């Protein structure tokens, strides 16, 4: 797959991820990142470097969704809740940064490194986005 095609997909996904503190209608859809990943993988022609790029694009898109969710919830919280959530987020980030590394150990081969590791990491990030969005909805309901 050409680097240009991966760059185009990355740019499109990153554009989705800059919702910031915008309203719910402006939030990036989680399925958009995975749909772009699937499309990228279809054109990767069994090339490990292209697979790596596709996975990187997916993780970057999920990171953008995570940042948008954080920017939505954090300003809405009272000081004590902000402090608690920030402490939790720091611990969660340490977990996220080491998550799925077992796929990179070599025990799962190159497929584990290029296919399973990035989708595993993206799924973990997506789950955290869901948690933060649920917290936001609870906060809005008060």
């Amino acid at each position: 797959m050409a680097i240009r095609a991966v760059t185009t997909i990355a740019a499109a996904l990153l554009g989705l991820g800059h919702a910031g503190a915008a309203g719910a209608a402006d939030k990036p859809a989680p399925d958009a990142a995975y749909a772009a990943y699937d499309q990228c993988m279809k054109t990767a022609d069994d090339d490990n470097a292209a697979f790596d790029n596709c996975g990187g694009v997916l993780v970057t898109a999920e990171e953008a969704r995570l940042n948008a969710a954080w920017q939505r919830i954090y300003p809405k919280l009272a000081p004590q809740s902000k402090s608690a959530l920030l402490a939790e987020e720091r611990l969660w980030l340490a977990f996220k940064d080491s998550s799925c590394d077992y796929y990179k150990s070599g025990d799962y081969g190159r497929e584990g490194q290029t296919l399973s590791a990035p989708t595993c990491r993206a799924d973990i990030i997506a789950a955290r986005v869901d948690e933060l969005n649920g917290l936001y909805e609870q906060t809005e309901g008060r």
Side-chain angles (χ1 to χ4, degrees), residues 129-140:
V129 170
D130 289 345
E131 288 177 35
L132 293 174
N133 285 339
L135 182 58
Y136 176 82
E137 289 173 14
Q138 290 176 1
T139 302
E140 285 294 293

Side-chain angles (χ1 to χ4, degrees), residues 14 40 43 46 50 55-57 65 72 82 85 95 105-106 122 126 140:
L14 289 174
C40 183
T43 59
D46 291 330
V57 168
R65 289 184 60 242
R72 283 180 69 219
K82 280 183 177 182
L85 186 62
F95 159 73
S105 69
E140 285 294 293

Side-chain angles (χ1 to χ4, degrees), residues 67 70-71 73-75 77-95 128 132 135:
N67 290 334
W70 180 262
Q71 290 171 9
I73 183 58
Y74 192 74
L77 299 175
Q80 187 172 350
S81 294
K82 280 183 177 182
S83 178
L85 186 62
L86 184 59
E88 178 183 294
E89 191 70 7
R90 287 181 177 139
L91 292 170
W92 182 85
L93 286 169
F95 159 73
R128 181 63 174 172
L132 293 174
L135 182 58

